[in-house]
Amino acid sequence: MPIARAAITTTRRAAVRLGAVALTGALLAACGGTSDDTSADGAGGEVTLTVDLFGSFGYKEAGLYAEYEKLHPGVTIKQTDTEDEADYWKSLQTRLAGGAGLADVQGIEVGRIASVAQQQSERFEDLRKYGADGLKDQFAPAKWAAATGKGGEILGLGTDVGPEAMCYRTDLFKAAGLPTDREELARKWATWDGYLALGKQYKAKAPGKSAWLDSVGSLYSIMIGQEKERYYDASGKLIWEDNPALRTAWDHSVQAAQDGLSAKLDQWSPQWNQAFAAGSFATIPCPAWMLGYIKGQAGEAGKGKWDVAALPGGAGNWGGSYLAVPKAAKHKKEAYELVKWLTAPEQQARLFEKQGNFPSATGAIAKVADAKDPFFSDAPIGRIFGEAAKAAPVQVLGVHDQNIAQQITNALSEVERKGTSPEKAWSNAKKGVANTIG
Amino acid sequence: MTLTASESPAPPRPVPPPARRGSARRAWQTFSPYAYLAPFFTLFAAFGLFPLIYTAFVSLYRVELQTPGEMEWRGLGNYTALFGDEYFWTSLRNTFTIGVLSTVPQLVMALGLAHLLNYRMRGRTFLRTAVLLPYATSVAAATLVFAQLFGRDFGLVNYALGLVGIDPVDWQNGTVASQIAVSTVVIWRWTGYNALIYLAGMQSIPHELYEAAAMDGASRWRQFFHVTLPGLRPTIVFTVIVSTIGATQLFGEPLLLEGSISGGISHQYQTLGLYMYEQGWGFFHLGRAAAIAWVMLLLIVVIVGANALIARRRSRKEAGR
């Protein structure tokens, strides 16, 4: 788990530096007496900025922190990272309620941004205070609007978006006698039915115990990402139960489960992580940010075995994030400067080239149009994800998006792993959502 | 008690000190116990009593973590809603079944282990200390290791089962299988602890009883049933009560098995403690979570009360014999 290890080493190094800072401070105070005020926290002084994130933002891996520290002498960045966003959100909410223990910069997933903008605007800094209004033209309008509070507060700056594609293992495809060319595959799985049909072909000649797909939960998530309205309509009314688009995604996922196409893994679980290197599945629906995750889990041994093709059934968006500064942060001004720099087009473009997180800054999208990734067999990821980002629908976001999605994927997992009947699972999902929201 | 007290000699009286200093000392003697106890009661009030009462207060409202300022009076609504809540009953049932699955084997094994440790043998002290080691391990570390062992695809347990021709078991998603997995962690952690308590109890049984039994021709096995077990009764009652309370509050093991606050995709191993956590810190319904906390408290009081009642009736019957 390179991500976790990276987090630990960052912390340790930061701790060492922190010790050095404290020592220097003490020495300065001893030499200069009371007249020396410039060494205190503030402009030009030593500042340790804490950044608390989930999943893999990839800033550290792409060397962006190191560069920022070089550009701003005296600034030290300390990152903590939680793998599962659901765990991260729980702990963030607890700390926000207590008003303590918060980092200077907190990551917010797009599925949660509605909750921040509609319910918790008083807990985060309004970035207009630091002049964020001037950045509006840098970002895609929908990305910007979602993080704007009722009174026009700017509560976070967009990092990446999650245009969707399909990642697959060329070596497993070859072994099963399937074509490996990404253009040919994109034609074959132009529709989701085509994708499932290809899955059945794969299953008939699958090498080892490998499955076609990692989990039906990820299939559902990627399909629902292709829809404009998912759980709420534009007026904020809950519509998911009667949403035909959601039902289509559900039905296809049930079909995949019943055809035995899935490796029955739980996304973000340790077993799922192990399966990347073990080659337990041949395809995985991948939003752009998943590329970095695949690289991290599959390791150097996976290089060149993976490829990326256009998604069945058209373009969509899954995830993407924001960086926000909580009111209880210690160094708000410095935190904003860091957020502004990390989300600027140049940095977003570099992050995409190194880690795969697709930029939400419009200026960066043009910059990365020609990007290719050797890990993914030199797939033209700039073009594939760029086209997907352009064609993806602007989604209606709701306060409980993430919680509802979790209940639905849970119910789908019951069909997948326990053979629960789809009708029973659907009623379980309904009960689960009522219990979550009520 | 009263008998021994009247028989023992009265404590020697100190020589009365001069009067003026005496009143100060007497005042100190009267009040100093309170001063000594004050730190405990302060801590208890802050971290025991206040949370208890505040939880009761919160349980009468609808409160969300995101908007703690907006409290909406619900009366007993949170409690009555629990009775119609399918997940509450599921978690109550799971708490019970996991409790039985973990407590019964744990105590039986602890008894056997204590019996073995009671023999004279080489390295007895080492073995007695060694059985306590799992108890000293953190729940998180132990559960994470067990979660790896019980992995479906790459777990050691399924690998071993495969060697003897048994199909892999889904230790996470099967209802019975997942509850066995959770219980295993509990059993592993607590068997040694209970064995040591039994051992202490066994050592207080007079040796003459065993000699007499042996003289009457009782085998080791019969000695165990007719001397050891009756002699251990108070100890067994104690361990049953403590284990029951522990089982009712079970939380860390089911939470960390998969890191799922729902106790699996179908709530198949969600305990009451975990359901409370899911409501409070997963869905942020603080009022509902507080109501579950109080129901758990009442449940434990009822169970312990029933336990004490049964124990007392038995001992009275014994005395009457």
Side-chain angles (χ1 to χ4, degrees):
Chain A
M1 300 224 300
I3 293 164
R5 207 179 308 133
I8 289 167
T9 42
T10 335
T11 317
R12 192 177 304 146
R13 198 175 310 144
V16 171
R17 280 194 199 156
L18 199 64
V21 170
L23 194 65
T24 329
L27 286 177
L28 279 177
C31 300
T34 48
S35 62
D36 194 341
D37 277 334
T38 48
S39 68
D41 264 7
E46 299 277 1
V47 175
T48 300
L49 288 177
T50 49
V51 181
D52 191 25
L53 304 173
F54 54 86
S56 53
F57 276 65
Y59 292 136
K60 195 190 130 52
E61 291 82 352
L64 291 180
Y65 290 149
E67 189 179 333
Y68 190 81
E69 285 171 358
K70 208 180 281 171
L71 288 172
H72 299 78
V75 173
T76 310
I77 298 167
K78 188 177 145 190
Q79 179 192 289
T80 45
D81 186 75
T82 308
E83 189 164 300
D84 189 342
E85 197 275 340
D87 292 334
Y88 168 82
W89 180 247
K90 259 188 296 179
S91 115
L92 175 62
Q93 285 301 317
T94 317
R95 284 176 290 152
L96 280 173
L102 289 152
D104 296 315
V105 178
Q106 293 280 354
I108 309 280
E109 218 268 347
V110 65
R112 311 287 191 185
I113 197 70
S115 170
V116 169
Q118 291 170 28
Q119 298 180 317
Q120 315 187 54
S121 53
E122 79 289 351
R123 289 173 169 177
F124 289 93
E125 281 288 289
D126 178 1
L127 301 179
R128 283 182 300 187
K129 228 191 264 178
Y130 309 102
D133 346 29
L135 304 172
K136 190 172 178 182
D137 297 338
Q138 279 185 19
F139 293 91
K143 186 82 183 171
W144 185 264
T148 307
K150 288 181 205 129
E153 307 95 330
I154 298 167
L155 299 162
L157 296 184
T159 57
D160 59 326
V161 287
E164 301 173 337
M166 184 64 75
C167 293
Y168 61 99
R169 286 276 297 259
T170 48
D171 56 334
L172 295 180
F173 270 50
K174 206 175 284 168
L178 293 185
T180 57
D181 178 60
R182 57 185 86 91
E183 305 297 336
E184 191 182 345
L185 281 170
R187 273 195 302 280
K188 282 205 161 181
W189 64 41
T191 64
W192 283 108
D193 290 324
Y195 171 79
L196 293 183
L198 217 55
K200 277 194 198 161
Q201 268 186 51
Y202 178 86
K203 196 186 173 207
K205 287 201 269 174
K209 280 194 220 159
S210 69
W212 174 240
L213 170 75
D214 68 324
S215 75
V216 297
S218 70
L219 178 61
Y220 166 81
S221 303
I222 205 99
M223 284 187 72
I224 201 68
Q226 297 173 316
E227 303 306 326
K228 179 174 167 17
E229 288 187 339
R230 299 171 299 171
Y231 309 110
Y232 295 82
D233 68 8
S235 71
K237 203 177 114 217
L238 263 183
I239 54 155
W240 70 275
E241 276 180 49
D242 304 314
N243 183 352
L246 191 148
R247 206 48 208 237
T248 309
W250 169 276
D251 288 341
H252 278 87
S253 308
V254 164
Q255 192 59 48
Q258 291 180 337
D259 288 347
L261 298 183
S262 153
K264 304 179 182 180
L265 293 158
D266 205 14
Q267 283 207 310
W268 317 111
S269 72
Q271 307 193 19
W272 185 66
N273 289 344
Q274 289 167 341
F276 280 94
S280 303
F281 46 82
T283 67
I284 177 169
C286 58
W289 44 262
M290 188 76 89
L291 299 184
Y293 199 86
I294 295 174
K295 283 186 208 172
Q297 295 300 337
E300 266 306 296
K303 193 172 177 175
K305 288 184 188 162
W306 289 84
D307 207 330
V308 188
L311 189 72
N317 183 78
W318 174 2
S321 303
Y322 292 85
L323 293 179
V325 180
K327 277 251 162 75
K330 282 202 194 76
H331 310 287
K332 292 177 214 166
K333 177 90 182 79
E334 292 84 350
Y336 169 72
E337 291 301 327
L338 175 64
V339 168
K340 185 180 154 195
W341 188 81
L342 285 173
T343 55
E346 298 76 36
Q347 276 66 252
Q348 289 205 8
R350 275 178 50 197
L351 193 64
F352 176 70
E353 277 153 16
K354 292 222 169 119
Q355 291 300 122
N357 302 40
F358 197 81
S360 63
T362 39
I365 299 179
K367 279 195 185 124
V368 300
D370 300 324
K372 289 186 174 175
D373 194 323
F375 188 94
F376 291 90
S377 312
D378 281 323
I381 54 170
R383 184 172 60 74
I384 293 175
F385 288 109
E387 283 170 5
K390 215 179 291 166
V394 174
Q395 283 157 344
V396 178
L397 302 174
V399 174
H400 287 293
D401 277 359
Q402 208 81 321
N403 289 331
I404 302 173
Q406 175 78 52
Q407 296 299 324
I408 295 177
T409 44
N410 263 0
L412 281 170
S413 304
E414 289 190 285
V415 181
E416 174 190 45
R417 298 177 215 163
K418 303 174 103 166
T420 308
S421 76
E423 296 76 28
K424 179 89 183 30
W426 179 256
S427 89
N428 285 352
K430 281 208 278 197
K431 277 187 275 186
V433 171
N435 189 34
T436 306
I437 295 180
Chain B
M1 276 300 278
T2 41
L3 235 163
T4 42
S6 64
E7 265 174 8
S8 67
R13 253 174 213 212
V15 182
R20 264 181 55 232
R21 273 181 58 209
S23 68
R25 181 182 283 192
R26 210 173 307 130
W28 171 243
Q29 272 179 347
T30 319
F31 293 110
S32 64
Y34 297 101
Y36 290 131
L37 285 175
F40 167 75
F41 279 109
T42 317
L43 287 179
F44 176 72
F47 297 105
L49 201 59
F50 170 70
L52 201 69
I53 294 168
Y54 189 69
T55 307
F57 168 73
V58 167
S59 74
L60 303 176
Y61 288 87
R62 180 189 159 85
V63 198
E64 303 289 298
L65 186 71
Q66 286 108 332
T67 52
E70 301 164 18
M71 290 174 87
E72 184 190 314
W73 173 257
R74 281 204 73 185
L76 292 175
N78 281 329
Y79 292 91
T80 48
L82 278 185
F83 289 106
D85 182 354
E86 190 184 313
Y87 300 112
F88 172 74
W89 293 109
T90 308
S91 60
L92 187 63
R93 197 175 55 231
N94 290 344
T95 308
F96 180 74
T97 50
I98 294 177
V100 171
L101 274 176
S102 59
T103 309
V104 174
Q106 181 194 135
L107 295 184
V108 169
M109 276 160 58
L111 253 183
L113 210 59
H115 188 65
L116 294 179
L117 286 172
N118 205 13
Y119 283 115
R120 275 176 204 290
M121 57 183 152
R122 234 170 233 271
R124 196 166 62 164
T125 319
F126 169 75
L127 287 174
R128 285 177 181 179
T129 321
V131 293
L132 203 60
L133 272 182
Y135 173 67
T137 319
S138 88
V139 193
T143 312
L144 291 178
V145 171
F146 272 96
Q148 292 281 330
L149 294 179
F150 281 117
R152 185 193 61 201
D153 297 337
F154 308 108
L156 205 61
V157 174
N158 275 348
Y159 173 77
L161 290 179
L163 290 183
V164 291
I166 299 175
D167 284 338
V169 177
D170 193 341
W171 295 105
Q172 278 79 33
N173 296 311
T175 306
V176 180
S178 63
Q179 296 198 358
I180 290 178
V182 171
S183 302
T184 309
V185 189
V186 181
I187 293 171
W188 181 81
R189 278 195 74 224
W190 291 93
T191 301
Y193 169 83
N194 285 308
L196 283 201
I197 291 181
Y198 286 148
L199 183 62
M202 279 176 189
Q203 287 174 343
S204 69
I205 300 172
H207 198 64
E208 295 80 42
L209 290 180
Y210 289 98
E211 279 175 9
M215 213 101 83
D216 288 344
S219 65
R220 272 265 157 83
W221 197 237
R222 293 200 61 164
Q223 284 177 25
F224 179 76
F225 271 101
H226 294 284
V227 180
T228 313
L229 274 190
L232 275 183
R233 183 162 295 138
T235 321
I236 293 178
V237 170
F238 170 77
T239 53
V240 167
I241 290 180
V242 170
S243 310
T244 311
I245 294 177
T248 317
Q249 298 179 326
L250 196 66
F251 171 70
E253 290 87 347
L255 172 67
L256 291 168
L257 187 71
E258 280 185 286
S260 149
I261 51 169
S262 311
I265 49 174
S266 324
H267 303 256
Q268 66 268 31
Y269 56 90
Q270 184 172 44
T271 57
L272 270 183
L274 197 52
Y275 187 51
M276 175 178 78
Y277 181 74
E278 187 185 36
Q279 286 293 339
W281 306 111
F283 304 154
F284 310 134
H285 305 319
L286 297 185
R288 255 200 259 174
I292 300 174
W294 262 88
V295 169
M296 272 175 76
L297 176 71
L298 296 181
L299 207 67
I300 292 177
V301 169
V302 167
I303 292 172
V304 171
N307 237 323
L309 214 66
I310 294 168
R312 206 202 292 157
R313 189 166 296 165
R314 277 210 75 132
S315 62
R316 202 176 293 157
K317 218 188 262 171
E318 212 100 304
R321 228 189 258 164

